[in-house]
Amino acid sequence: MTTALITGATAGIGAAFARRLAADGHDLVLVARDTKRLSEQATELHDRHGIEAEVLTADLSTEDGIAAVEARLSQPRQPVDLLVNNAGFGNKGRYLEVSMADELTMIKVHIEAVLRLTSAATASMRERGRGGVVNVASVAAFVPRGTYGASKAWVVQFTQGAARDLAGSGVRLMALCPGFVRTEFHQRAGMGTDNIPGWLWLDADKLVAAALTDLARGKSLSIPDPRYKALMGAVKLAPRGLLGGITSKTGRKYGPK
Ligand SMILES: NC(=O)c1ccc[n+]([C@@H]2O[C@H](COP(=O)([O-])OP(=O)(O)OC[C@H]3O[C@@H](n4cnc5c(N)ncnc54)[C@H](OP(=O)(O)O)[C@@H]3O)[C@@H](O)[C@H]2O)c1
C-alpha cells in the first residue's frame, strides 16, 4: 500500500486526485483549511474504497501551515510516496487592482509552499529510492497573466529543473498544466466565466486520469488535453503583444460579488 498527500483536497482538481488515488487503492493524507469538509471526504473515501485517509488541516499561506505539512512529509515511519501540490487560488483583478497582501499570499501558497513541500518530500523519497511529485501549475504559465501566471511559470521551471536534477534517483517530478477546469476556482475568486467558450472547459476527473498516465510515462510536463496542446503550440508562435492582449482578459471578467 502506498500513501499520497494532496494539498487543496477539499474541492476541484485536488478532490478529483483524492477520488482517483483512493479508487486505485492508495492511502491518503488530505490537506486544506476546511477540517469539516476534509473529514467528510476522508470518511467517504474510506467507506467506499477501504483505504486509510488522514486529515491534516493546514493553511499554506502561513508559516505554521507549511511547517506542519513539511513535518508530515518528513516522517520516516509513515512515508509519503506521492505528493500532489495542488492548493491554489486566483485573485480578482489585474495588476495594481489586487492588494499587495493578496499578491504576497499567492506567492506564499503557489511558490514558497510548493518549494518547501517538494523539498521535504523529495529528500525522503530520494533516500528510499522512489517516489513522485505532481506540482499543479496552469497553461497560464506560458502567457503573460499577472502574478498568477508568473507564479505558475515558476512552478513549471522549478519542477522541470528539479526533475532533471533528480533523474536516476527513482524520484519523478511533473508539472501539470491544466486549461480551464470546472471547479470552485473562478467562483471563489469572484471571476465571471461567461466569456470562456464552452469547448475550452475540462473535466477534473478526466484531467487527473490523463495526468497520472503522463506521470507513469515519466513526463516532467503534462498538458493533458489535445485542445490545449494545440493551443500551447500556437502560443509559442504568437507575438507576445497580441498574446498579452488576449490572455489578460480571458477568464478575468468579474462576476457578481
Ligand atoms: N480551475 C481551473 O480552471 C484551473 C486551471 C489551471 C490550474 N488550476 C490550478 O489548480 C489548482 C486547484 O484549483 P481548483 O481549480 O481545483 O480550485 P478550487 O476548486 O477552488 O480548489 C482549491 C483548493 O485549494 C485549497 N486551498 C486554497 N487556498 C489554500 C490555502 N491557503 N491553504 C490550503 N489549501 C488551500 C482549497 O481548500 P480550502 O478552501 O478548504 O482550504 C481547495 O481545496 C490550483 O493550483 C489552481 O491554480 C486551476
Short mmCIF file of all heavy atoms in Angstrom, two decimals, residues 10 49 51 63 65 135 153 159-160 198 215 225 254:
data_model
loop_
_atom_site.label_atom_id
_atom_site.label_comp_id
_atom_site.label_asym_id
_atom_site.label_seq_id
_atom_site.Cartn_x
_atom_site.Cartn_y
_atom_site.Cartn_z
N THR A 10 -9.96 19.52 -0.73
CA THR A 10 -11.40 19.63 -0.44
C THR A 10 -12.26 19.85 -1.68
O THR A 10 -13.47 19.62 -1.63
CB THR A 10 -11.68 20.80 0.54
OG1 THR A 10 -10.97 21.95 0.11
CG2 THR A 10 -11.32 20.46 1.95
N HIS A 49 -13.75 2.89 -0.53
CA HIS A 49 -12.61 2.18 -1.13
C HIS A 49 -11.78 1.38 -0.12
O HIS A 49 -10.82 0.72 -0.52
CB HIS A 49 -11.69 3.18 -1.84
CG HIS A 49 -12.39 3.95 -2.93
ND1 HIS A 49 -12.82 3.37 -4.10
CD2 HIS A 49 -12.76 5.26 -3.01
CE1 HIS A 49 -13.41 4.30 -4.86
NE2 HIS A 49 -13.38 5.44 -4.21
N ILE A 51 -9.64 2.42 2.03
CA ILE A 51 -8.29 2.96 2.24
C ILE A 51 -8.27 3.79 3.54
O ILE A 51 -9.32 4.16 4.06
CB ILE A 51 -7.86 3.86 1.05
CG1 ILE A 51 -8.90 4.96 0.79
CG2 ILE A 51 -7.68 3.01 -0.21
CD1 ILE A 51 -8.51 6.32 1.13
N GLU A 63 3.16 30.26 7.98
CA GLU A 63 4.37 29.50 8.36
C GLU A 63 3.98 28.20 9.06
O GLU A 63 4.52 27.13 8.74
CB GLU A 63 5.26 30.38 9.26
CG GLU A 63 6.47 29.68 9.84
CD GLU A 63 7.38 29.07 8.78
OE1 GLU A 63 7.51 29.63 7.68
OE2 GLU A 63 7.96 28.00 9.08
N GLY A 65 1.26 26.46 8.88
CA GLY A 65 0.61 25.51 7.98
C GLY A 65 1.64 24.79 7.11
O GLY A 65 1.61 23.56 6.97
N ASN A 135 3.24 18.79 -9.34
CA ASN A 135 3.01 20.19 -8.98
C ASN A 135 2.02 20.80 -9.97
O ASN A 135 2.29 20.87 -11.17
CB ASN A 135 4.32 20.97 -8.99
CG ASN A 135 5.18 20.62 -7.78
OD1 ASN A 135 4.66 20.19 -6.74
ND2 ASN A 135 6.48 20.78 -7.90
N ALA A 153 4.44 29.92 -13.85
CA ALA A 153 5.65 29.76 -14.66
C ALA A 153 6.80 29.30 -13.76
O ALA A 153 7.61 28.45 -14.14
CB ALA A 153 6.01 31.08 -15.35
N THR A 159 9.91 22.79 -11.31
CA THR A 159 9.63 21.34 -11.32
C THR A 159 10.46 20.64 -12.39
O THR A 159 11.04 19.57 -12.13
CB THR A 159 8.13 21.10 -11.57
OG1 THR A 159 7.38 21.82 -10.58
CG2 THR A 159 7.78 19.62 -11.49
N GLN A 160 10.53 21.24 -13.57
CA GLN A 160 11.30 20.58 -14.63
C GLN A 160 12.80 20.57 -14.31
O GLN A 160 13.49 19.60 -14.60
CB GLN A 160 11.04 21.25 -15.97
CG GLN A 160 9.61 20.99 -16.47
CD GLN A 160 9.50 21.18 -17.97
OE1 GLN A 160 9.42 22.31 -18.44
NE2 GLN A 160 9.48 20.09 -18.72
N GLY A 198 -17.37 27.35 -24.24
CA GLY A 198 -17.66 26.04 -23.65
C GLY A 198 -16.63 24.98 -24.00
O GLY A 198 -16.29 24.14 -23.16
N LEU A 215 2.45 10.94 -15.68
CA LEU A 215 3.43 10.71 -14.61
C LEU A 215 4.04 9.31 -14.75
O LEU A 215 5.26 9.13 -14.64
CB LEU A 215 2.78 10.88 -13.23
CG LEU A 215 3.72 10.72 -12.04
CD1 LEU A 215 4.71 11.89 -11.97
CD2 LEU A 215 2.93 10.64 -10.72
N ASP A 225 -4.52 17.59 -22.59
CA ASP A 225 -5.69 17.62 -23.45
C ASP A 225 -5.26 18.08 -24.84
O ASP A 225 -4.52 19.07 -24.95
CB ASP A 225 -6.75 18.57 -22.90
CG ASP A 225 -8.03 18.51 -23.72
OD1 ASP A 225 -8.12 19.26 -24.70
OD2 ASP A 225 -8.91 17.70 -23.38
N TYR A 254 -15.14 40.11 -14.17
CA TYR A 254 -15.59 39.99 -12.79
C TYR A 254 -17.06 39.57 -12.74
O TYR A 254 -17.90 40.14 -13.41
CB TYR A 254 -15.45 41.31 -12.04
CG TYR A 254 -14.05 41.85 -12.07
CD1 TYR A 254 -13.82 43.20 -11.93
CD2 TYR A 254 -12.96 41.00 -12.26
CE1 TYR A 254 -12.53 43.70 -11.96
CE2 TYR A 254 -11.68 41.50 -12.29
CZ TYR A 254 -11.46 42.85 -12.15
OH TYR A 254 -10.20 43.33 -12.18
#
